Amino acid sequence: MKRKILAGNWKMNLDHLSGAALAKEICAGVDAARSACEVVLIPPFTTLPAVAGAVRGSAVKTGAQDLYCEDEGAYTGEIAGGMLRALGCAYVLVGHSERRHTIGESNALVTRKLRAALRNGLIPILCVGELLAERESRKAVDIVASQVRESCEGLEGEEFSRVVVAYEPVWAIGTGRTATPEDASDMHGVIRIIAKELFGTAAAEHLPILYGGSAKPETAPALLAEPEIDGLLVGGASLKASSFLGMMPR
Ligand code: PGA
């Protein structure tokens, strides 16, 4: 049995004071539940040091929402993987749909960021997912498959063994419209087929694939019951300890 992952993407919410308070509440809940799942908090950059302090000594891990593809230099406003490692970050989101579609990140840049994460000892959570128009025109599988293929092609097997993928259909993010467990599971199956093509059966089976997009305490159990779904990447519902803890797989 693979260990499930519950990751909370706080997006651009919670400063270092409110973030540390929420992190402490979540740690208390996770430790009390002796959770067998990996719980990851992904706050904004400036909130990260306070959250790293709040989770110290608990089972809860931290992650960042982005990183730059270079390791240092004249890149005003950017944050390097090594800086995140120095804070004790274990994970980093790469290619979140808001970065792809609101900020305009290309697949090529996402690919470079994925490599930067791996090079710096971070576990990248590679986010992929189709737009509503792409789903309606039956292009979803092709889009997601090419996002995975383009980002992972050329990685060494050892590097790929450290990657986590999150399938987040863009039409489900922040809309209140969750993908059905069947739709999510089908797309996770597609992602696993691409992983198998690129890295072989064992690597594909080992790959954790999270679902994200309006996941809530009410929808989490059915999603997590799918054998193809290895965890959840949660946005809105991760901003309150009660709803986030209510999604922990049992
Ligand atoms: P949501 O966000 O749960 O608010 O839809 C998920 C995400 O963007 O990671």
Side-chain angles (χ1 to χ4, degrees):
M1 272 285 277
K2 256 186 281 180
R3 200 163 174 231
K4 302 256 187 202
I5 299 174
L6 178 65
N9 172 13
W10 294 358
K11 310 195 178 187
M12 200 174 72
N13 296 292
L14 305 177
D15 64 19
H16 65 292
L17 300 173
S18 48
L22 176 60
K24 278 193 191 133
E25 237 186 296
I26 289 171
C27 285
V30 170
D31 290 347
R34 292 203 185 79
S35 165
C37 83
E38 174 102 319
V39 175
V40 187
L41 303 182
I42 309 180
F45 287 133
T46 53
T47 301
L48 203 41
V51 168
V55 305
R56 198 161 293 132
S58 83
V60 174
K61 301 279 195 320
T62 56
Q65 296 176 13
D66 188 31
L67 83 171
Y68 196 54
C69 53
E70 299 290 343
D71 291 340
E72 65 181 352
Y75 304 104
T76 301
E78 296 296 339
I79 299 288
M83 298 172 181
L84 300 173
R85 277 301 293 163
L87 280 179
C89 250
Y91 291 82
V92 62
L93 299 182
V94 173
H96 186 276
S97 90
E98 285 143 22
R99 298 218 53 93
R100 291 180 189 265
H101 301 294
T102 312
I103 320 267
E105 277 187 16
S106 64
N107 253 353
L109 180 59
V110 170
T111 301
R112 293 180 65 202
K113 289 185 171 189
L114 183 77
R115 278 155 181 73
L118 291 166
R119 188 166 72 233
N120 284 286
L122 296 157
I123 300 169
I125 303 179
L126 171 68
C127 303
V128 296
E130 80 285 359
L131 298 164
L132 182 60
E134 292 165 342
R135 171 153 289 254
E136 284 172 343
S137 56
R138 301 187 180 280
K139 291 197 189 112
V141 166
D142 289 346
I143 295 288
V144 170
S146 70
Q147 286 171 339
V148 174
R149 199 172 275 125
E150 201 172 310
S151 297
C152 296
E153 204 142 44
L155 289 182
E156 299 291 330
E158 183 282 321
E159 291 173 315
F160 184 73
S161 72
R162 290 185 275 135
V163 172
V164 173
V165 172
Y167 168 56
E168 299 203 299
V170 180
W171 47 268
I173 297 178
T175 58
R177 189 175 158 200
T178 319
T180 63
E182 296 71 32
D183 283 345
S185 181
D186 286 353
M187 193 61 90
H188 286 211
V190 168
I191 294 168
R192 229 175 276 287
I193 289 169
I194 308 294
K196 182 174 165 187
E197 238 174 71
L198 295 173
F199 299 99
T201 308
E205 280 170 8
H206 165 273
L207 174 70
I209 309 178
L210 317 184
Y211 167 79
S214 295
K216 298 183 266 303
E218 304 79 60
T219 51
L223 288 162
L224 290 167
E226 293 289 334
E228 278 290 356
I229 300 182
D230 301 309
L232 300 173
L233 178 55
V234 185
S238 73
L239 296 173
K240 279 214 168 86
S242 55
S243 57
F244 188 59
L245 292 169
M247 303 174 80
M248 255 187 341
R250 320 222 158 248

